[in-house]
Amino acid sequence: MEKLTSNEKQLQKQYMNEIKLDRKNKKEFDYSGDIILDDVSYTYSRKTPFEFRALDNATIAIDKGKITCVIGTTGSGKSTLIQLTNGLIITETGRTRIGDYQIPAATKKIKEVKKLRREIGLVFQFPEYQLFQDTVEKDISFGPINLGGNKEEAIKAVPELLKTVDLPVEFIKRSPFELSGGQKRRVAIAGIVAMNGNTLVLDEPTGGLDPQGEEDFMNLFLGLNKNQGKRIIMVTHNMDQVLRLADEVIVMNKGKVIDKGTPFEVFADHELLKQIEIEPPKIYQLIYKLKAQGLDLTGFAIRDIDDFVKAYSTTMKKKEG
């Protein structure tokens, strides 16, 4: 880790004083507001030949109630960034703010860690590998019980949670290890939803799934956002998924946030995608070809083929008129 500048030390002292006042004056924190990562940094394998600065003084706001996708090449800092949101790792500079709750840099222990992780559920890539209980019911209810929730209420909620992730209620007494890969993943996600937090953070949640499995999970995440109002933060390499789901897109490169915008704004910028070596969604590959031939559709909000047809028709009518 690089030595802190005098200004960074002064800011850290200011943040620590702020959080002391917050804890003195507040009995409860509200974790539902915007998540602000303010000048955050993180270094892996410090003081070894493998030292790697994954985040380099990055700053970004992640809005409440929206689906935000984080994109960038391998090693750009995406997964490290999202792990800051529930205190799994702590920034070396700046601070993390979740609603009105703050985690200043170099915090040794998060006093409210159980409440924070109940509100911000982190789903790793291949979450089915996190299953370990002998029944689906125990696995889904484990999180809320372990974080201090009422055991009876947690178990009572399991049937509805199975419906939420589109699994039969009859699975409740089955071993999760008897299920298919996609079913296991649904159980794991149900366990995160069980904690009833306002935010789900997903790291490559559809990795290894077939196209139908990917489609099913995209519908699940959309439903959790639109029907239950949950903020979804998702890291993915699949730009077609980003185009379909995202309200906002965060673009990362070499540990820094280099852009943020709607998927239409980000994907309309062909030079940006070439800079970060990201292949655009299939429909935007067609849009780029049309633009090169003099037909520019990049000003339209195009998610699917229906949007494309409308934009194409509108543009052609203007040309003909």
Side-chain angles (χ1 to χ4, degrees), residues 148-182:
N150 181 280
K151 183 176 180 180
E152 288 185 8
E153 290 180 2
I155 292 173
K156 188 178 179 181
V158 172
E160 194 61 36
L161 288 161
L162 285 169
K163 292 178 185 177
T164 297
V165 297
D166 201 23
L167 284 176
V169 175
E170 293 74 28
F171 278 21
I172 197 165
K173 295 299 182 183
R174 288 183 64 178
S175 165
F177 306 107
E178 296 174 356
L179 307 181
S180 70

Side-chain angles (χ1 to χ4, degrees), residues 164 219-230:
T164 297
N219 289 333
L220 169 60
F221 302 143
L222 272 173
L224 290 170
N225 175 254
K226 306 306 178 190
N227 302 329
Q228 297 187 23
K230 295 192 183 297

Side-chain angles (χ1 to χ4, degrees), residues 52 54-55 70 73-82 252-255:
F52 174 67
L55 290 176
V70 187
T73 54
T74 300
S76 61
K78 305 183 301 298
S79 295
T80 305
L81 189 82
I82 64 170
M252 298 199 65
N253 189 42
K254 297 179 180 178

